[in-house]
Amino acid sequence: MSWLAPVTLAFLHALYRLVLVFKYIFRSREEPRPIAAERSKVPQHLAFILVPNPEAGDEDNEQYMLNSVEKVAGWCRMAGISRLTVYDREGVLAKCSLELRERLLAPSKSEEVEESPVECDIRYPLTPPPSDDAESRPLSPHSGISIPKLSVTTIRYPSNTSKPKRRASIGRAAIKRRRAPQHSQKPQEPLLTVYIASYQSSKSAIAAAASAFLQDIRRNGNGRSAPAKPSLPSIQELNAVLEGEHGFPSPELMIVHRRPRVGQLRSPAELWGFPPWQTRLTEIHWERYAPTAPFWRTSRSSEISSSLDETEFRRALDEYDSAEMRVGT
Amino acid sequence: MLLQLISSSLGWLRDQATAKAQDALLSALAAGPIPQHIAFIMDGNRRYARSKGMQVKQGHTDGFYTLRKMLEVCIKLNVRCVSAYVFSIENFKRSPGEVTALMDLAEEKLHELCQKGDILDQYGIRLVVVGHKDMLPERVLAAAEKAENLTRMNNRAVLNLCMPYTSRDEMTSAVQATIQSHLENDDESAITPQEIDAHLMTSLAGSPPLDILVRTSGVKRLSDYLLWQCSEDTQLQFSSTYWPNFGLWDFVPIILDFQRKVWAQNSTL
């Protein structure tokens, strides 16, 4: 009778597959609200995990990722999301950070030549270069604070607006402005900061932060010998490093997007090595059912989308809006 | 009286048949790949209680019995390790009345679990309390230590009760322990993720890598639970059922999903 269990299991899986196909066919097709629709809660920081299709070529996956990030950055600006973290495990986006920066900057360059309808006339200085993927080194000989290698690239770029706003924090030499009357001032639109992360920004970054603290303890103890009572890092100190200037803050919402594959049915979410420190309170969204057709369609690339679908982004915002937030209480 | 006898006999037969059918189902599932480590975020006890017009305390008690039931299901499937998020460090922010009730429940159930013949003894499960234990009231800490000592030699499976616990606290403790170890051994090499992993509370309890994390009540967050452990190669299953209502029929698709993943991975090797 030892054959009965495997046969029963095979039958269960066949039945389950039928259920998944049924659920895919009759999945909810309710249209999510537009990106700029009124919502009671909009995340200020969105994380976007991209999982490539292992059956597609490297270059194809790379273009898919770049196209998707470019679109998501534009949608973030429309939705008023000021921070975007993009993550792929293998670091494809990190390797293409220069191309990505050009793609993200391209819309704002064309806006700089647009005529401003308001009385403020501002020229934005060049966007600061991405932060260094720095080796561990002290800020200064006397600060005693080592910079750990957190492997996060940061891109900051101007807002997508035809009404340029005052930015007092930018270098004054590049700014030419006239003061506008108080009643015609419009609220500032946020910058979009894009953090590019990969598997190297994950557990390795926590280890790098630990190594930096170890170096500082040794330095404070005057050399190799351990101080009598070492000041070990607290949660707050570790957080200050990992979410600080060389890391990235915790996102409020995360979209896990697997590039669709033919025949892909429902699968549970996974985090693909996303930095664990920052996922503490993050709302996780993923599409349970792949947008492409199931197994009976052929896998010609022309039938497969070249980037993420806007519907998925809008659905994630709607889900975040309806989520109940309780921190321990 | 005859009718009552027939009714109770039929009820008994029905229960026996259900139990046999469940065991047969679990045997069938156990014929395929089985996760080594499953974690539960047991969410929804209070909403469950409110939906039934019960007191919140009863919701937590029913939640405990669901944990026992799921633990038994996991053992019959040959799962080696079950972790449950019993109490978060953040939960101390709840009303003093609820915190006291939860601590009372924890103490009572810890004593109950390690009774002779109860589930830990019956199945050879070692109980480990994972978390910032010095934050627990003295009586709960004593009950926890007693339960850990009584089950220390059990080796069929491990039950991690995470209380009071947050993942950032666990990761920070692991970083501190790793730094301390490097200082004591005068080790100048860079700290690696593997070293931090080895100092996590779950690793020190002998837990294998986490295969599945289940959160009930429809919430899709990790809420500072096992963040390091589930960041890679862990399936996240979010069920809309409230925890006290969670049962075999919610759990079977979770196991089937895991088996599909393992078979898909094996077919690409």
Side-chain angles (χ1 to χ4, degrees):
Chain A
M1 293 293 273
S2 61
W3 54 267
L4 187 57
V7 167
T8 309
L9 185 62
F11 172 74
L12 273 173
H13 272 278
L15 192 62
Y16 188 52
R17 192 172 170 84
L18 274 175
V19 168
L20 292 180
V21 170
F22 181 85
K23 283 187 170 185
Y24 172 80
I25 294 169
F26 294 102
R27 66 192 186 279
S28 166
R29 291 167 208 267
E30 193 182 318
E31 193 65 18
R33 287 175 283 165
I35 291 176
E38 187 80 20
R39 292 182 173 88
S40 61
K41 310 198 277 298
V42 174
Q44 286 309 295
H45 182 182
L46 171 76
F48 183 43
I49 297 182
L50 276 156
V51 183
N53 179 355
E55 290 162 3
D58 288 348
E59 214 175 291
D60 198 42
N61 277 323
E62 185 183 297
Q63 285 308 306
Y64 184 89
M65 287 192 205
L66 290 169
N67 293 342
S68 297
V69 171
E70 191 181 346
K71 284 197 169 173
V72 168
W75 298 332
C76 283
R77 281 147 60 202
M78 284 170 64
I81 297 170
S82 57
R83 288 176 176 170
L84 170 66
T85 294
V86 294
Y87 172 90
D88 75 284
R89 186 186 170 94
E90 301 305 320
V92 170
L93 291 170
K95 287 174 203 151
C96 301
S97 60
L98 286 176
E99 184 181 346
L100 190 58
R101 186 157 65 108
E102 278 165 31
R103 284 190 185 215
L104 296 179
L105 282 176
S108 62
K109 275 185 186 166
S110 64
E111 284 158 19
E112 281 174 0
V113 302
E114 275 184 84
E115 298 236 16
S116 168
V118 301
E119 294 181 357
C120 288
D121 176 20
I122 299 173
R123 284 183 222 138
Y124 293 98
L126 289 173
T127 305
S131 61
D132 285 338
D133 188 10
E135 298 290 341
S136 196
R137 65 177 190 276
L139 277 168
S140 77
H142 308 291
S143 71
I145 302 169
S146 305
I147 302 175
K149 183 174 178 178
L150 303 183
S151 304
V152 176
T153 303
T154 305
I155 302 174
R156 294 185 178 86
Y157 73 104
S159 54
N160 176 11
T161 174
S162 57
K163 300 175 185 176
K165 307 299 170 198
R166 293 171 51 184
R167 289 182 54 203
S169 61
I170 303 303
R172 305 238 176 239
I175 294 177
K176 181 176 78 177
R177 69 179 189 274
R178 287 178 288 130
R179 287 195 181 278
Q182 203 67 25
H183 65 268
S184 70
Q185 279 186 352
K186 299 285 189 298
Q188 292 255 356
E189 282 195 32
L191 294 170
L192 181 65
T193 305
V194 178
Y195 304 97
I196 307 175
S198 69
Y199 188 63
Q200 293 309 310
S201 328
S202 184
K203 294 175 179 176
S204 300
I206 298 177
S211 290
F213 279 109
L214 176 62
Q215 272 192 329
D216 292 338
I217 290 170
R218 284 212 164 98
R219 196 175 297 118
N220 292 338
N222 297 316
R224 295 177 60 173
S225 59
K229 273 187 99 174
S231 175
L232 299 170
S234 63
I235 296 179
Q236 291 73 22
E237 286 168 324
L238 207 47
N239 189 60
V241 169
L242 293 169
E243 294 201 2
E245 189 192 341
H246 299 278
F248 69 99
S250 294
E252 289 139 7
L253 172 64
M254 168 192 289
I255 298 175
V256 183
H257 175 76
R258 291 182 74 163
R259 188 180 176 191
R261 296 162 62 176
V262 171
Q264 178 182 312
L265 289 173
R266 191 184 85 165
S267 59
E270 293 196 30
L271 297 177
W272 304 95
F274 188 87
W277 187 267
Q278 282 86 347
T279 55
R280 179 175 159 251
L281 296 174
T282 308
E283 194 74 19
I284 300 169
H285 174 88
W286 78 106
E287 291 284 294
R288 284 175 185 73
Y289 301 102
T292 53
F295 60 89
W296 54 80
R297 285 262 187 99
T298 57
S299 59
R300 287 177 300 162
S301 58
S302 58
E303 290 191 23
I304 298 173
S305 166
S306 62
S307 66
L308 170 79
D309 192 65
E310 187 187 305
T311 316
E312 187 173 339
F313 186 85
R314 286 152 55 197
R315 203 169 285 127
L317 289 185
D318 284 350
E319 207 169 86
Y320 181 82
D321 187 28
S322 63
E324 197 186 320
M325 302 292 175
R326 291 165 290 127
V327 184
T329 54
Chain B
M1 189 175 159
L2 183 63
L3 277 171
Q4 276 180 348
L5 190 62
I6 293 171
S7 171
S8 64
S9 301
L10 284 173
W12 179 84
L13 278 170
R14 187 192 60 226
D15 291 343
Q16 288 294 306
T18 307
K20 290 284 180 201
Q22 286 181 359
D23 284 348
L25 176 59
L26 292 174
S27 297
L29 288 172
I34 288 297
Q36 289 299 286
H37 184 179
I38 302 177
F40 294 101
I41 300 180
M42 306 179 293
D43 202 7
N45 291 342
R46 291 184 294 176
R47 279 167 282 167
Y48 159 88
R50 283 195 288 269
S51 73
K52 291 190 176 289
M54 293 175 185
Q55 287 199 340
V56 163
K57 185 182 170 182
Q58 187 59 45
H60 289 306
T61 305
D62 287 1
F64 166 74
Y65 288 117
T66 299
L67 175 61
R68 279 180 62 131
K69 183 178 63 179
M70 290 316 303
L71 181 59
E72 193 166 1
V73 164
C74 289
I75 295 300
K76 288 180 178 177
L77 281 174
N78 300 320
V79 175
R80 297 278 303 154
C81 181
V82 172
S83 297
Y85 203 4
V86 175
F87 195 87
S88 166
I89 294 174
E90 299 290 331
N91 291 154
F92 281 116
K93 292 178 191 169
R94 292 185 179 180
S95 67
E98 189 179 348
V99 172
T100 304
L102 283 166
M103 290 296 132
D104 288 343
L105 184 67
E107 184 190 1
E108 178 192 332
K109 296 310 173 189
L110 279 166
H111 284 305
E112 190 178 308
L113 275 174
C114 50
Q115 293 298 309
K116 200 80 180 156
D118 207 278
I119 190 170
L120 300 184
D121 182 50
Q122 184 185 358
Y123 291 108
I125 304 168
R126 179 161 60 90
L127 187 146
V128 181
V129 174
V130 171
H132 213 113
K133 285 188 269 193
D134 55 1
M135 295 176 80
L136 289 172
E138 208 44 63
R139 56 194 171 90
V140 180
L141 188 57
E145 284 171 354
K146 181 185 169 191
E148 284 179 323
N149 286 334
L150 280 173
T151 59
R152 201 173 63 249
M153 302 309 290
N154 293 347
N155 59 9
R156 182 173 169 184
V158 177
L159 170 63
N160 294 320
L161 293 182
C162 300
M163 52 181 261
Y165 174 94
T166 63
S167 188
R168 281 194 177 181
D169 178 73
E170 184 190 24
M171 287 189 280
T172 304
S173 299
V175 163
Q176 291 172 349
T178 308
I179 290 174
Q180 190 72 52
S181 169
H182 271 246
L183 289 170
E184 284 168 5
N185 298 323
D186 210 16
D187 185 347
E188 294 241 319
S189 61
I191 291 175
T192 65
Q194 291 73 22
E195 287 178 281
I196 297 175
D197 191 286
H199 283 100
L200 292 171
M201 294 173 191
T202 48
S203 303
L204 295 172
S207 306
L210 184 62
D211 293 304
I212 305 173
L213 184 140
V214 180
R215 180 166 191 163
T216 52
S217 86
V219 175
K220 295 189 183 119
R221 293 190 292 276
L222 299 175
S223 296
D224 218 344
Y225 186 54
L226 300 180
L227 304 180
W228 178 287
Q229 291 85 338
C230 70
S231 74
E232 53 185 317
D233 211 22
T234 300
Q235 289 183 319
L236 307 180
Q237 292 278 9
F238 298 109
S239 168
S240 55
T241 311
Y242 293 146
W243 174 250
N245 286 330
F246 191 81
L248 189 58
W249 297 113
D250 302 288
F251 195 54
V252 167
I254 290 173
I255 299 297
L256 294 175
D257 279 340
F258 175 79
Q259 293 179 334
R260 286 165 54 82
K261 173 186 170 181
V262 171
W263 285 328
Q265 280 176 343
N266 291 345
S267 68
T268 58
L269 287 174

